[in-house]
Amino acid sequence: MSLGIPKSNFYFIEANFSDIILEVRNGANGLQSDARTIRKTIVFHDFSKMTCIEILDESCREVELYWYDWYEDNQQLIMKFHAHYHPDGTPKEITVYDPFHIQTDTYRGPNESFRELNQILEFIRLRQLTLRK
């Protein structure tokens, strides 16, 4: 079932966010894309990386589930932006934020504002601009 979000256009993303993105690589976590799953790795100018996985609803080609995981260049987690449901039996304190949630090493909560990859990248752009000052 679709989240009502169009699949990401990584050509647009690479061009529109060239001030923060060094490159967009095919594949994520050692796996390549297939007919239903888009897998990309975004490398930022500060060498942090975001693995992007989008599973598409086959009936409308919109995003059904996604995982955008952002890590420092040393693999330390910065933030995860997820839209998926946890399996039955998962504790209520985890499932309460399904499907849209944000996670760090110390925080898990709802994601009301940054639901599409373009919005997430705008957030990262603002964060990186404030860190440069």
Side-chain angles (χ1 to χ4, degrees):
M1 181 160 96
S2 169
L3 295 169
I5 296 172
K7 69 179 183 173
S8 296
N9 180 332
F10 285 92
Y11 295 111
F12 170 82
I13 286 168
E14 190 166 21
N16 194 46
F17 293 95
S18 63
D19 59 319
I20 61 169
I21 292 177
L22 184 63
E23 69 176 318
V24 176
R25 297 177 181 164
N26 289 320
N29 301 325
L31 299 171
Q32 295 299 311
S33 298
D34 57 44
R36 188 165 177 238
T37 306
I38 297 169
R39 293 181 181 94
K40 302 281 185 179
T41 301
I42 296 173
V43 180
F44 296 98
H45 286 292
D46 67 357
F47 298 108
S48 64
K49 295 178 182 161
M50 177 176 281
T51 57
C52 303
I53 302 170
E54 297 179 348
I55 297 179
L56 305 179
D57 183 315
E58 293 176 322
S59 66
C60 62
R61 305 301 288 168
E62 291 181 333
V63 176
E64 183 177 318
L65 310 166
Y66 68 68
W67 296 264
Y68 305 130
D69 296 345
W70 183 26
Y71 292 92
E72 294 284 353
D73 62 342
N74 64 2
Q75 299 301 313
Q76 182 177 341
L77 176 66
I78 299 172
M79 189 172 288
K80 294 180 179 185
F81 302 86
H82 290 179
H84 65 91
Y85 293 93
H86 289 86
D88 290 340
T90 303
K92 179 79 171 155
E93 62 269 12
I94 293 175
T95 62
V96 68
Y97 303 117
D98 287 355
F100 295 99
H101 51 280
I102 295 175
Q103 183 177 336
T104 68
D105 284 335
T106 59
Y107 173 80
R108 172 188 290 277
N111 181 357
E112 300 294 332
S113 301
F114 310 109
R115 293 190 170 183
E116 294 185 31
L117 186 54
N118 288 336
Q119 295 168 325
I120 293 166
L121 292 169
E122 288 290 354
F123 165 78
I124 291 171
R125 175 186 275 153
L126 289 173
R127 179 187 179 269
Q128 291 188 352
L129 285 172
T130 58
L131 291 176
R132 287 183 198 158
K133 294 182 179 186

